[in-house]
Amino acid sequence: MAQKKPTMRRQQKPQHNNGKPGLIISHYGVAVLVRFDNGEEHPVKVKRNSDHVVGDRVMVVDERVTSLERRNALRRRDPFGKVRTLAANLDLLGIVVAVRPQTPSGFIERVVVAARAADIAPLLIVNKQDLPGTTAFEDQLQRDFPAMPRLAVSAKQGDGLELLRHELAEAGRSALVGVSGSGKSSLLNALCPGIDLETGDLNEEDHGCHTTSVSTLLALPNGGELVDTPGFRDFSPVDVSSEALAHWFPGVMSILEEQPCRFRNCRHRQEPGCRIKQAVTQGTFSEQRYQLYLNTLEELEQLETARNEGRKNPFCR
Ligand SMILES: Nc1nc2c(ncn2[C@@H]2O[C@H](COP(=O)(O)OP(=O)(O)OP(=O)(O)O)[C@@H](O)[C@H]2O)c(=O)[nH]1
Ligand SMILES: [Mg+2]
């Protein structure tokens, strides 16, 4: 009997029969782009809601992707309550801000909490140094986040990029987050000449246009890897216990290191002898930031209560 001819489809499939290790460098919903350890890059199909993310080390066996254990992952809850994983196995998180478009109040604090809790070092990247108003904006950041590492750059004019290149090479794997239009993709283009990621102008309300829709990991020419992510205006941490929140929240520990609260398990609400409440009264911890702390604390407590009672995420709409 004549042998059956292999189909075209079979012939065209890349061969991963023995299992090939690689790294997810982009995610398109139903497929991931894998950079294999031998340098090849291939898309591999995945289920639409699979948990694979950029930065995952994977084994691909017979066109099936299995993620290996993660060192960490940056996760957030979106405005619909859904938990989103942005990237995995990160060393540094660049929070890109600029005088235009404005970053919503509380965004930086919440990103910092999520990053620190996941053992990812946060770095404030103040882009668009060439725009008027940047000096006053930087002064405000210095007052609000005196202890936060910060770099001033301009993707457009090249200022500060040498230092940024150095930081990113030293760090290992980094990701950029920030509101749409803050200049994340422009920074990647400036750092990796020739990649030509799409960038988009601000609209009439001075907001970005959500130009980037998928995260992409790129190897930087001077060392290190950088993930470009789509912009978003909200950031609700998920992997932080309500108990640990104060530990990661910007500005809290520097007060408690001087003098702790009376109770070790103080949540800084109404407890007597609370140093944070005192600092708010004395004006050394802003009322606005304190409210943000309380709101975040409440959200985390609601998530924990729902989890303990086996209920669904209470923020899911
Ligand atoms: N003046 C000035 N404009 C910049 C600078 N960096 C970026 N831009 C502009 O800011 C706009 C938005 O830049 P993008 O790089 O698309 O911003 P993004 O953060 O990637 O935005 P999303 O992909 O929507 O999240 C574009 O018009 C850029 O040209 C800069 O250093 N100075
Ligand atoms: Mg972009």
Side-chain angles (χ1 to χ4, degrees), residues 138-204:
E138 283 238 66
D139 290 347
Q140 188 62 48
L141 288 172
Q142 173 60 30
R143 283 193 291 276
D144 289 347
F145 303 96
M148 179 82 63
R150 201 173 73 229
L151 263 186
V153 299
S154 167
K156 191 173 181 182
Q157 298 196 330
D159 313 357
L161 291 187
E162 252 335 287
L163 213 49
L164 180 58
R165 270 192 199 101
H166 175 77
E167 291 288 324
L168 297 172
E170 290 277 296
R173 181 175 301 149
S174 310
L176 297 182
V177 294
V179 296
S180 173
S182 57
K184 301 175 293 296
S185 303
S186 303
L187 278 170
L188 263 134
N189 284 340
L191 293 165
C192 298
I195 54 163
D196 204 16
L197 292 175
E198 195 185 348
T199 64
D201 286 338
L202 305 191
N203 65 18
E204 279 143 27

Side-chain angles (χ1 to χ4, degrees), residues 137-286:
F137 177 59
E138 283 238 66
D139 290 347
Q140 188 62 48
L141 288 172
Q142 173 60 30
R143 283 193 291 276
D144 289 347
F145 303 96
M148 179 82 63
R150 201 173 73 229
L151 263 186
V153 299
S154 167
K156 191 173 181 182
Q157 298 196 330
D159 313 357
L161 291 187
E162 252 335 287
L163 213 49
L164 180 58
R165 270 192 199 101
H166 175 77
E167 291 288 324
L168 297 172
E170 290 277 296
R173 181 175 301 149
S174 310
L176 297 182
V177 294
V179 296
S180 173
S182 57
K184 301 175 293 296
S185 303
S186 303
L187 278 170
L188 263 134
N189 284 340
L191 293 165
C192 298
I195 54 163
D196 204 16
L197 292 175
E198 195 185 348
T199 64
D201 286 338
L202 305 191
N203 65 18
E204 279 143 27
E205 280 99 50
D206 247 5
H207 287 161
C209 297
H210 295 280
T211 311
T212 305
S213 55
V214 293
S215 297
T216 309
L217 183 149
L218 289 146
L220 298 170
N222 294 52
E225 294 169 324
L226 187 54
V227 181
D228 185 21
T229 69
F232 41 80
R233 298 185 64 76
D234 62 288
F235 199 106
S236 298
V238 281
D239 297 312
V240 186
S241 72
S242 57
E243 197 186 347
L245 175 65
H247 188 74
W248 307 120
F249 203 88
V252 169
M253 281 320 282
S254 54
I255 295 170
L256 300 185
E257 271 158 16
E258 266 178 31
Q259 193 192 332
C261 299
R262 187 180 307 165
F263 300 110
R264 275 191 59 185
N265 60 354
C266 186
R267 294 229 166 170
H268 319 299
R269 273 194 175 109
Q270 301 297 338
E271 297 90 335
C274 171
R275 284 280 300 131
I276 300 302
K277 285 282 291 179
Q278 243 177 50
V280 175
T281 315
Q282 290 163 356
T284 48
F285 193 74
S286 85

Side-chain angles (χ1 to χ4, degrees), residues 3-17:
Q3 271 201 338
K4 222 175 148 185
K5 270 192 186 169
T7 63
M8 278 303 284
R9 234 176 127 239
R10 278 233 169 108
Q11 280 178 338
Q12 283 172 349
K13 270 190 175 181
Q15 299 297 303
H16 306 309
N17 294 336

